[in-house]
Amino acid sequence: MTSKISLTRYLVEQQRAEGHIPSELRLLLEVVARACKSISQAVNKGALGGVLGTAGSENVQGEVQKKLDIIANEVLIEANEWGGHLAAMASEEMDEILPIPNRYPAGEYLLLFDPLDGSSNIDVNVSIGTIFSVLKKQNDDPTKIDPVSTKDFLQPGRQQVAAGYCVYGPQTTLVLTVGDGVAMFTLDREQGSFVLTQENVTIPADTQEFAINMSNMRHWDEPVKRYIDECLEGAQGPRGKNFNMRWIASMVADVHRILTRGGVFLYPWDKREPNKPGKLRLMYEANPMSWLIEQAGGAATNGTQRIMDIAPTQLHQRVSVILGSKNEVERVTAYHAKV
Ligand code: P6P
């Protein structure tokens, strides 16, 4: 029986062997994992915990907040604010960044998160998840520590030092990269710890499975319409093979499936709100998911450029997302180039 490798042991060995994880970052990742365990407990209680339904408020995106959205946000803040590893936090559920209170020591890392992605699925018992991204506060003059501000967060995704998600589904699974491949840890509820269940996760370059909200078809731009039409034409069409479709309406669950068996996920720009580049948020949804996908051998673009090269201008800015099996993402991106 191979001994179980806990998240802690994995991170210590990464720190020792690869030098990817300074101890402050290792501590941060362990704190985030513990927070995800607490969120998983709250999610699993469902109606028994009185946590279903809406909170009667809206978030910065103008979306109705679920009780669990707020609970998950508070769990992540309370778990991370005192440890001394962070300069500030940013969340989908908060308009502004949250600097570490003066009563606690501040560190050099910036933590961004969508505390509970896919919350429209909470009340119908479908998988949801927490997405997180870690950046480092850049100090132009190391001798002078400037007070943290929103501009410290506005770094392209390629600057991330860690990224991951925790999916609350039939299993609670933490998926993580620090730039040395992708590892998956399943929560062992008897031990109360995350256990390594897969490392060096790899996405096949080709796939026969796409994920998109088909109800928006009439609003898509031509390149996306062409790509999906060709998939739907199946073996008799230009692709010469049949495709399957999945749409869970929970990015964490759709990305987890793609990391597990391949596929391509699309949430493209559409004509409904032409001034919005897309629905999903760059900083705490698209960037962390793009790094995981790239670290597993996949690709992630907004149709015209690599998502992780996008220079952000706003904390909550949105982006069009095409990610997953490399050859499919490259095909969709090539169709955009021909327009
Ligand atoms: P739609 C969830 O609200 C989310 O942000 C992503 O997790 C998901 O992929 C997408 O929106 C679903 O959007 O328009 O299909 O409900």
Side-chain angles (χ1 to χ4, degrees):
M1 163 83 171
T2 53
S3 64
K4 289 182 176 180
I5 296 179
S6 69
L7 174 66
T8 299
R9 178 176 163 188
Y10 175 87
L11 293 175
V12 166
E13 290 176 349
Q14 277 283 320
Q15 176 185 351
R16 186 184 304 145
E18 303 296 332
H20 273 291
I21 314 182
S23 55
E24 284 295 282
L25 179 58
R26 176 166 62 81
L27 277 172
L28 165 51
L29 294 172
E30 290 193 88
V31 167
V32 170
R34 269 197 300 278
C36 289
K37 268 195 287 187
S38 303
I39 296 168
S40 174
Q41 293 295 93
V43 167
N44 282 193
K45 284 201 184 101
L48 297 176
V51 295
L52 300 184
T54 61
S57 52
E58 287 188 350
N59 65 15
V60 63
Q61 328 288 344
E63 293 164 340
V64 172
Q65 287 180 305
K66 300 280 191 174
K67 288 177 190 166
L68 270 171
D69 283 324
I70 294 174
I71 292 168
N73 195 57
E74 286 167 358
V75 165
L76 281 158
I77 290 170
E78 285 161 20
N80 281 285
E81 63 180 354
W82 50 268
H85 43 268
L86 289 181
M89 292 178 248
S91 165
E92 180 191 61
E93 301 302 330
M94 302 188 297
D95 300 16
E96 305 300 330
I97 67 167
L98 183 68
I100 295 303
N102 293 333
R103 64 182 180 280
Y104 298 126
E108 58 180 346
Y109 292 106
L110 303 168
L111 178 65
L112 303 94
F113 47 84
D114 178 355
L116 208 58
D117 175 67
S119 41
S120 62
N121 284 320
I122 293 173
D123 296 354
V124 293
N125 200 11
V126 170
S127 298
I128 49 184
T130 298
I131 310 173
F132 61 91
S133 171
V134 183
L135 296 166
K136 274 186 83 167
K137 184 171 180 298
Q138 310 293 325
N139 277 324
D140 303 337
D141 174 357
T143 61
K144 190 167 64 70
I145 306 291
D146 303 325
V148 67
S149 69
T150 301
K151 71 173 175 43
D152 291 305
F153 283 82
L154 301 182
Q155 302 178 43
R158 63 175 181 270
Q159 297 288 108
Q160 294 172 99
V161 294
Y165 62 81
C166 192
V167 54
Y168 312 115
Q171 303 97 42
T172 286
T173 302
L174 182 76
V175 181
L176 176 68
T177 187
V178 290
D180 191 35
V182 175
M184 294 187 175
F185 303 84
T186 302
L187 180 60
D188 177 344
R189 291 192 189 279
E190 289 159 10
Q191 302 296 324
S193 58
F194 282 104
V195 174
L196 181 66
T197 44
Q198 194 174 349
E199 56 184 328
N200 305 318
V201 172
T202 307
I203 302 175
D206 294 302
T207 183
Q208 291 180 246
E209 195 162 70
F210 66 85
I212 195 167
N213 183 335
M214 293 293 285
S215 71
N216 300 327
M217 179 180 271
R218 64 190 181 282
H219 306 303
W220 298 335
D221 223 350
E222 281 316 307
V224 173
K225 274 187 188 147
R226 174 185 173 190
Y227 176 75
I228 297 296
D229 283 345
E230 291 178 355
C231 289
L232 296 176
E233 287 175 54
Q236 290 71 38
R239 302 301 309 277
K241 59 185 179 178
N242 295 325
F243 280 77
N244 192 14
M245 194 214 92
R246 287 284 183 276
W247 187 250
I248 304 175
S250 178
M251 187 185 197
V252 172
D254 282 314
V255 168
H256 192 72
R257 185 190 57 254
I258 289 169
L259 282 169
T260 305
R261 69 185 192 209
V264 59
F265 171 99
L266 304 93
Y267 210 112
W269 170 93
D270 74 41
K271 300 183 179 102
R272 285 175 293 176
E273 296 184 87
N275 298 329
K276 270 187 189 173
K279 171 178 184 182
L280 303 179
R281 290 81 174 183
L282 174 64
M283 299 304 294
Y284 39 78
E285 288 177 336
N287 274 339
M289 292 310 207
S290 296
W291 199 21
L292 288 165
I293 291 289
E294 288 195 4
Q295 282 287 308
T301 78
N302 65 354
T304 55
Q305 76 176 110
R306 182 186 181 222
I307 283 177
M308 292 210 296
D309 286 339
I310 295 173
T313 54
Q314 291 172 350
L315 186 62
H316 298 290
Q317 77 183 63
R318 298 172 188 263
V319 66
S320 176
V321 177
I322 297 147
L323 59 76
S325 291
K326 194 175 178 64
N327 292 345
E328 293 303 312
V329 174
E330 288 178 353
R331 175 184 289 267
V332 182
T333 306
Y335 289 0
H336 280 77
K338 288 180 180 146
V339 172

